Amino acid sequence: MSDNRSTLLSQRSAVIFLLGALTAIGAGVLTFFNGGTPASATLVGGAAFGAAVTFFHTVID
C-alpha cells in the first residue's frame, strides 16, 4: 500500500490562518464586552480576520 497523502495546507498557511483566527476572536470578544451587539462583534471579527491574514501573509516569509 502506498502512502501518497499530501497535506491540505502548508505549515506557513496554517500558522497564518491560526493567527488570523486568534486575532478575529480577540477583536470580536473585545467588541462584545465593550457593549457591542453579537452581530457587530461578528462583523468586526470578520474584518479583523481579513486584515490579520493579509498582514501576517506579508510579514511571515
Side-chain angles (χ1 to χ4, degrees):
M1 215 181 236
S2 67
D3 191 18
N4 291 336
R5 288 193 251 167
S6 63
T7 59
L8 182 62
L9 291 173
S10 67
Q11 188 174 11
R12 178 180 178 270
S13 297
V15 168
I16 289 172
F17 282 129
L18 174 66
L19 291 173
L22 291 174
T23 304
I25 291 169
V29 167
L30 288 175
T31 300
F32 182 73
F33 285 146
N34 196 30
T37 64
S40 65
T42 303
L43 288 173
V44 168
F49 177 79
V53 167
T54 304
F55 172 74
F56 289 122
H57 175 68
T58 58
V59 171
I60 298 174
D61 191 20

